[in-house]
Amino acid sequence: MTQKLIIWTYDWLPEGPRGFVRDLRLRWAAEEAGLPYDVRTIAFEDRATNHLDRQPFGQVPFLTDGDIKIFESGAGLLHLARKSEKLMPRDPIGEAETLQWVIAALNSMEMVTVPWWFLKMSGEHDNGLTDWTDSRLAHLEAVLGQREWLAANSFTVADLLMADVLRVPTVRAHGNRPASEAYVKRMTARPGFRKAYADQMAHFAASDQKRAECR
Amino acid sequence: MTQKLIIWTYDWLPEGPRGFVRDLRLRWAAEEAGLPYDVRTIAFEDRATNHLDRQPFGQVPFLTDGDIKIFESGAGLLHLARKSEKLMPRDPIGEAETLQWVIAALNSMEMVTVPWWFLKMSGEHDNGLTDWTDSRLAHLEAVLGQREWLAANSFTVADLLMADVLRVPTVRAHGNRPASEAYVKRMTARPGFRKAYADQMAHFAASDQKRAECR
């Protein structure tokens, strides 16, 4: 018997990051693949120290799959991709294409865009990462202008992840990149994304309710 | 017959980044695994446009493995890890541990440390990413104080990659982190690293020579 996946996230969170916490990536992938899962929580309040044995940087999400425990949303996505052809094709070329674009999303895009928007959110609107961000976004725009999917002529976890990178409001509002915008719209219109997003929002809304009752 | 791997890098490069270009990661992995490989080059001079069909962000390295072409050094490492147990164990738990630490190196560490040292190199010594960098390095120091290897109680591509992240001079010189320093020393003392490093340095030294002759 296959055990249900368990996706771990916080029990509560301020409103700002709701809809963007990375358990959404794992929920979305599980929805696309039709893999059953439960969501469990660790306390937001003591997050700096309460789960370092499960996530050594004190972050969420992490994933339990039977005996396997895995942290980093990117690693969780690649783990789930090995379980379902709906997330990654099984031929070696299709797998390599998916893998390279997953890593590109994490290490060529987010490595620049995340610290860039972090500095902007910290008040440094014109920061030293802007040119680099512009360049990476322009390169990706050129790719997305040529094709519907990043890898293997089909939806893969690479699209799921790249769309999640590009839908961050600060990134999405930056510059005129019609192919990237159309791509984000296409990907976030998928039933799997909509369900994952609605479920994450409902999870945190319910936690507000519980929190209020306990006071 | 298995075809030789081909690792692609630049034909020449200024002195600063030599010894740190990421083809070193792939050379090192191939050396550890005993996988035969050749090194081929693309022109540094026209790098912004001359290989976008092979690397859509205009970077190196990329890898050819028979019919498979793969860019992003992190993706190349995971591809090579699937070819050799010397880079990643074959049991599902060991694989998951390796995968999560590879992604942690790329997306929890480098996503903070690379833009941080980039800003420092650009003259912003006290930049808005310093606290975040300190926190990530401290979390990793706590892990490395407890064990010899990141994953699966053995050397894996996760160690190769994390050591390459930590050996960047700006990162290595930052703060007092004895476990991380000992880890970098252990990993870079491995014959596979020493060979890969010496070969990359020799490759670029030879290209200086050729350049001088052509002038």
Side-chain angles (χ1 to χ4, degrees):
Chain A
M1 189 194 117
T2 314
Q3 282 183 282
K4 257 191 189 177
L5 298 167
I6 301 167
I7 297 171
W8 295 81
T9 189
Y10 292 126
D11 64 346
W12 177 87
L13 200 74
E15 280 194 20
R18 293 183 191 185
F20 294 92
V21 188
R22 290 174 173 191
D23 64 71
L24 194 145
R25 295 175 176 179
L26 300 180
R27 291 172 186 263
W28 183 4
E31 294 292 341
E32 293 277 355
L35 295 166
Y37 62 98
D38 285 326
V39 174
R40 292 199 198 147
T41 60
I42 49 114
F44 177 75
E45 204 125 349
D46 306 313
R47 69 195 179 284
T49 53
N50 68 357
H51 65 297
L52 290 176
D53 57 328
R54 288 301 323 278
Q55 215 295 351
F57 301 96
Q59 305 178 100
V60 294
F62 43 91
L63 183 70
T64 311
D65 178 13
D67 290 340
I68 296 173
K69 298 168 179 182
I70 191 161
F71 65 83
E72 290 283 338
S73 61
L77 289 180
L78 287 171
H79 177 76
L80 296 180
R82 298 281 295 278
K83 299 173 82 82
S84 169
E85 280 189 62
K86 290 182 182 164
L87 299 174
M88 178 168 74
R90 288 296 100 112
D91 65 290
I93 293 176
E95 271 198 48
E97 284 185 13
T98 307
L99 178 59
Q100 75 187 359
W101 278 107
V102 163
I103 303 298
L106 298 169
N107 200 245
S108 282
M109 296 306 302
E110 278 202 313
M111 194 183 77
V112 184
T113 60
V114 170
W116 170 74
W117 68 246
F118 173 83
L119 290 176
K120 280 179 88 78
M121 303 281 278
S122 312
E124 295 186 51
H125 292 289
D126 291 317
N127 65 67
L129 299 176
T130 303
D131 288 349
W132 199 7
T133 298
D134 286 341
S135 158
R136 290 288 157 95
L137 289 172
H139 277 115
L140 189 60
E141 173 72 7
V143 171
L144 293 174
Q146 304 280 333
R147 52 181 141 160
E148 192 173 357
W149 315 102
L150 285 176
N153 289 318
S154 62
F155 178 81
T156 65
V157 278
D159 290 308
L160 185 160
L161 182 54
M162 193 65 88
D164 199 54
V165 170
L166 293 177
R167 79 183 176 90
V168 170
T170 313
V171 175
R172 197 168 174 180
H174 184 70
N176 179 30
R177 295 173 291 107
S180 301
E181 177 59 23
Y183 176 77
V184 169
K185 278 192 179 146
R186 273 197 320 273
M187 297 306 145
T188 57
R190 294 176 69 87
F193 174 83
R194 294 159 70 104
K195 172 91 164 57
Y197 185 88
D199 285 356
Q200 181 178 99
M201 295 304 280
H203 167 80
F204 290 120
S207 74
D208 277 338
Q209 181 68 25
K210 198 179 285 175
R211 216 171 142 99
E213 285 165 7
C214 294
R215 286 208 166 156
Chain B
M1 189 196 120
T2 313
Q3 282 182 281
K4 257 191 186 177
L5 298 167
I6 301 167
I7 297 171
W8 296 80
T9 188
Y10 292 126
D11 63 347
W12 178 87
L13 200 75
E15 279 194 20
R18 294 184 190 184
F20 294 92
V21 187
R22 289 173 174 192
D23 63 72
L24 195 146
R25 294 175 177 180
L26 301 181
R27 290 173 186 262
W28 184 3
E31 293 291 341
E32 293 277 354
L35 295 167
Y37 63 98
D38 284 326
V39 173
R40 291 200 199 149
T41 60
I42 48 117
F44 177 74
E45 204 126 346
D46 306 313
R47 69 194 179 285
T49 53
N50 68 357
H51 64 296
L52 290 175
D53 57 328
R54 289 301 324 277
Q55 215 295 352
F57 301 97
Q59 305 178 99
V60 294
F62 43 91
L63 183 69
T64 311
D65 179 11
D67 290 339
I68 296 174
K69 298 167 178 182
I70 191 161
F71 65 83
E72 289 283 338
S73 62
L77 289 179
L78 286 171
H79 177 76
L80 296 180
R82 297 281 295 279
K83 299 173 82 82
S84 169
E85 281 189 61
K86 290 182 182 163
L87 299 175
M88 179 168 74
R90 290 295 99 112
D91 65 290
I93 292 177
E95 271 197 49
E97 284 185 15
T98 307
L99 178 59
Q100 74 187 359
W101 278 107
V102 163
I103 304 297
L106 298 169
N107 200 245
S108 281
M109 296 305 301
E110 278 203 314
M111 195 184 76
V112 184
T113 61
V114 171
W116 170 75
W117 67 247
F118 173 83
L119 291 176
K120 279 178 88 79
M121 302 281 278
S122 312
E124 295 187 51
H125 292 289
D126 292 317
N127 65 67
L129 300 175
T130 303
D131 288 351
W132 200 8
T133 298
D134 286 342
S135 158
R136 290 287 158 94
L137 289 171
H139 276 116
L140 188 61
E141 173 72 8
V143 171
L144 293 174
Q146 303 280 332
R147 53 181 139 156
E148 192 173 357
W149 316 101
L150 285 177
N153 289 316
S154 62
F155 178 81
T156 64
V157 280
D159 290 308
L160 185 162
L161 182 55
M162 193 65 89
D164 198 55
V165 170
L166 293 177
R167 78 184 176 90
V168 170
T170 313
V171 175
R172 196 167 174 180
H174 184 70
N176 179 29
R177 295 172 291 107
S180 301
E181 177 59 23
Y183 176 76
V184 170
K185 279 191 177 146
R186 273 198 319 275
M187 297 305 145
T188 57
R190 293 176 71 86
F193 174 84
R194 294 161 69 104
K195 171 90 165 60
Y197 184 88
D199 285 355
Q200 180 178 101
M201 295 305 279
H203 166 80
F204 290 120
S207 73
D208 278 338
Q209 182 68 25
K210 199 180 289 178
R211 217 171 142 96
E213 285 165 8
C214 294
R215 287 207 165 157

